[in-house]
Structures are given as C-alpha cells and as structure tokens.
C-alpha cells in the first residue's frame, strides 16, 4: 500500500532529522560540542574544556532527570527545527 510506504518514509526521515539535531546539541560527548569548541575563541575553548569530563553526566541528567522534574529542555530545543526540516524534506 502506497500510503503505508509514505508513512514509513516520513518516519525514517523524522528519525534521521531527530538524531542529527540531537547530535548537534553542544554538550560533550556530542558533535555539537566539537562544533562549538571550534567556533569559539581559544580562551573560551579553554574555559569549556572541563565540561568534557562531566559532559556525559550532564547529558544523562538532561535526558532522564529533566522530564522526571518536569523540565522538557530537549523537547523545546529539538522539536521546532525537527518539524521544520521534516516538512521541508517531505514537501509539506
């Protein structure tokens, strides 16, 4: 059925866009931190260096503890660009 195939393609596009945007969040060990690290000046990059040590804990806290305490930080960061890009890619 072509409608089912279209829904599968939209889901695959949405998942890939979600993962791409998530990976660009500037928290170590995600790639967004590397981008941020490369964009800021040397002094700021040096100040950000200690975050590498605690980045995974911060990330786990944002992902798991945030929703437990009613803080939906990732939802606010990821969903708007995700919806825009998915609609752009599927032609809506």
């Amino acid at each position: 059925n072509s409608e089912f195939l279209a829904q599968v393609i939209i889901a695959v596009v949405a998942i890939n866009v979600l993962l791409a945007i998530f990976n660009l969040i500037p928290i170590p060990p995600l790639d967004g931190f590397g981008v941020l690290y490369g964009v800021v000046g040397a002094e700021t990059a040096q100040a950000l260096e200690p975050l590498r040590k605690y980045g995974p804990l911060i990330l786990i806290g944002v992902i798991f503890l945030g929703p437990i305490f009613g803080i939906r930080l990732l939802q606010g960061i990821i969903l708007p660009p995700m919806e825009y890009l998915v609609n752009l890619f599927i032609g809506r």
Side-chain angles (χ1 to χ4, degrees):
N1 188 353
S2 64
E3 186 176 318
F4 174 74
L5 181 60
Q7 289 178 347
V8 169
I9 291 171
I10 291 170
V12 168
V13 169
I15 289 169
N16 279 287
V17 169
L18 169 76
L19 292 173
I21 293 171
F22 177 78
N23 199 32
L24 288 175
I25 295 173
I27 299 175
L30 300 176
D31 290 337
F33 186 77
V35 172
L36 177 68
Y37 198 82
V39 170
V40 298
E43 190 174 306
T44 306
Q46 192 71 354
L48 291 173
E49 190 59 35
L51 282 178
R52 287 192 191 272
K53 183 177 182 181
Y54 301 107
L57 292 174
I58 295 168
L59 188 60
I60 289 170
V62 169
I63 292 172
F64 295 109
L65 295 179
I68 290 172
F69 294 109
I71 303 168
R72 306 219 180 269
L73 183 64
L74 289 180
Q75 188 176 14
I77 293 171
I78 293 176
L79 285 183
M82 180 186 154
E83 290 173 357
Y84 173 78
L85 289 173
V86 168
N87 287 332
L88 181 69
F89 291 144
I90 64 172
R92 283 190 186 166

